[in-house]
Amino acid sequence: MPKKAIKPFITYSDQLNVLTQKKQLNISDLSYAEGKLHDIGYYSLIDGYKDIFYNPMTRTYEEGTNFTDIVALYEFDENLRSLVFKYICHVEQKIRSLISYSFCEVFSENQSAYLNPTNYNISNKNSRDITKLISILTYEANQNTEHSYVVYQRNTYGNVPLWVIMKTLTLGQTSKMYSFMLPSIKSKVSVHYGNITEKELIQYLKVLTVFRNICAHNERLFSYESRFEIPDTSLHKKMRIPQKGIQYLYGKHDMFALLIAFRYLLDKEDFKFLKKELTKLFNTFSTATSATQKSKLLYAMHFPSNWANITQYKL
């Protein structure tokens, strides 16, 4: 099948001309627009954030769309990434603490305990992945010199306890480690989250991991959808999220799903601050654009109109 012709390089001036003449985008300050293209790049700014303003059938922007609307969405997403990353790190720190405490309470502080495969839920399905995990843990405990606090424990005590080594693991590795724990230890961890089972906590951590990676790699976040899903929750039902059959139409693997996950995994005060900051971001975007554009944004994020009621219901 023939490939499309390679897009040629064009100057900033020509890029602006395409946007105004061919794509019918309103640009009131050409100097400002050229500066943004210079700082961000056409691909990252325009191709990355045009979708909610663009009509793919006519291949032009919807009437009344301004260049500043796209910039406002780019800046909203940039701030959203920072906000989401901050609170994922809160969840990450707590789960690390709970895993290390619960594991060491049963198996001791000796590194030989977390390097012993028999202290995990070994099965035909898990054995290869547990071997990989132990290989990572072994390297971190015995060879890695990038973390001074690990080197100190190794040289001073000849032992790196789990609560130290947990700081070297990614959220994805931490999530897998939790999923491989013995059922009794997984239960010791999940009980701290209230009405969440061990299986549900694993689902939440998988979703948080992929969203964390999106934030860390500076990719578009507001409309991102994970390949993993959070479990159905009482919030889905109480907030009357529409369904197709038995499947909820949103709040499963999108930004609203992430908000639901935060509702379950953060403490009340943290979640209140998160919601307050998120509301500010929406208001800033609306001020820079319009109420109509804000509605488009909420739709693209799969946020229901009653999303702000999420704190009104008991979990």
Side-chain angles (χ1 to χ4, degrees):
M1 189 173 182
K3 297 181 183 293
K4 289 184 178 181
I6 296 174
K7 290 184 177 180
F9 168 84
I10 60 175
T11 64
Y12 293 127
S13 178
D14 288 338
Q15 290 172 19
L16 292 172
N17 194 50
V18 167
L19 289 172
T20 54
Q21 301 301 315
K22 188 176 180 181
K23 304 295 185 181
Q24 298 177 24
L25 178 65
N26 297 328
I27 303 179
S28 58
D29 188 336
L30 291 173
S31 178
Y32 167 83
E34 183 170 330
K36 287 298 181 183
L37 292 175
H38 180 272
D39 292 343
I40 302 170
Y42 188 100
Y43 180 78
S44 295
L45 178 62
I46 304 301
D47 287 349
Y49 292 91
K50 71 183 179 184
D51 290 354
I52 71 171
F53 312 107
Y54 193 73
N55 186 333
M57 299 300 293
T58 63
R59 303 184 71 178
T60 60
Y61 289 89
E62 295 179 359
E63 186 176 355
T65 302
N66 298 300
F67 182 86
T68 53
D69 294 333
I70 301 175
V71 173
L73 180 57
Y74 175 89
E75 292 175 346
F76 170 87
D77 202 46
E78 187 174 50
N79 291 321
L80 181 66
R81 281 194 299 272
S82 297
L83 182 65
V84 165
F85 187 80
K86 172 184 175 180
Y87 284 100
I88 288 179
C89 286
H90 284 206
V91 175
E92 187 173 2
Q93 184 58 41
K94 182 173 180 177
I95 194 71
R96 283 174 173 175
S97 176
L98 291 174
I99 288 173
S100 60
Y101 185 93
S102 301
F103 186 90
C104 292
E105 186 180 29
V106 174
F107 293 113
S108 89
E109 68 283 353
N110 293 323
Q111 70 179 53
S112 58
Y114 62 77
L115 298 181
N116 185 346
T118 63
N119 291 337
Y120 297 87
N121 187 21
I122 288 286
S123 66
N124 289 335
K125 180 182 178 182
N126 293 341
S127 60
R128 176 178 289 186
D129 288 330
I130 289 174
T131 299
K132 288 181 181 178
L133 174 65
I134 291 177
S135 177
I136 292 169
L137 294 172
T138 301
Y139 173 78
E140 295 294 343
N142 296 329
Q143 295 176 264
N144 196 331
T145 58
E146 294 179 10
H147 305 287
S148 60
Y149 51 88
V150 173
V151 175
Y152 174 80
Q153 295 283 334
R154 183 189 302 144
N155 293 340
T156 305
Y157 304 105
N159 179 70
V160 185
L162 184 58
W163 60 80
V164 173
I165 215 71
M166 289 298 297
K167 289 176 65 66
T168 71
L169 302 182
T170 66
L171 181 55
Q173 290 166 344
T174 301
S175 174
K176 285 186 177 181
M177 188 175 193
Y178 175 73
S179 70
F180 299 146
M181 293 288 180
L182 296 176
S184 58
I185 295 180
K186 284 193 285 191
S187 179
K188 281 176 174 285
V189 173
S190 65
V191 72
H192 291 276
Y193 293 99
N195 300 320
I196 298 180
T197 67
E198 297 84 26
K199 181 180 178 181
E200 289 171 343
L201 182 53
I202 291 170
Q203 288 179 264
Y204 282 123
L205 292 174
K206 283 183 178 180
V207 171
L208 259 67
T209 296
V210 293
F211 273 98
R212 187 192 192 283
N213 291 340
I214 290 295
C215 294
H217 293 114
N218 206 34
E219 296 184 40
R220 184 174 64 191
L221 176 64
F222 77 96
S223 60
Y224 179 74
E225 296 184 36
S226 165
R227 67 185 184 278
F228 300 117
E229 291 187 344
I230 68 167
D232 291 350
T233 70
S234 62
L235 285 176
H236 287 91
K237 185 176 182 180
K238 290 174 181 178
M239 297 186 72
R240 299 182 179 180
I241 304 302
Q243 295 175 267
K244 184 176 182 180
I246 61 171
Q247 178 68 38
Y248 286 105
L249 295 180
Y250 40 80
K252 290 292 291 178
H253 49 79
D254 46 30
M255 273 302 304
F256 189 58
L258 183 62
L259 189 66
I260 291 174
F262 279 139
R263 179 74 171 86
Y264 278 87
L265 299 176
L266 293 173
D267 64 40
K268 289 183 179 180
E269 287 303 308
D270 259 1
F271 188 79
K272 282 171 62 178
F273 282 120
L274 166 63
K275 182 187 168 189
K276 183 179 179 180
E277 292 302 310
L278 183 56
T279 301
K280 285 182 181 178
L281 292 185
F282 282 131
N283 291 340
T284 299
F285 176 78
S286 183
T287 300
T289 56
S290 66
T292 300
Q293 303 294 30
K294 180 183 175 182
S295 295
K296 292 179 185 176
L297 173 59
L298 289 170
Y299 181 80
M301 294 175 69
H302 293 179
F303 269 46
S305 59
N306 65 340
W307 76 270
N309 295 338
I310 194 169
T311 49
Q312 295 181 10
Y313 304 102
K314 291 184 178 181
L315 300 179

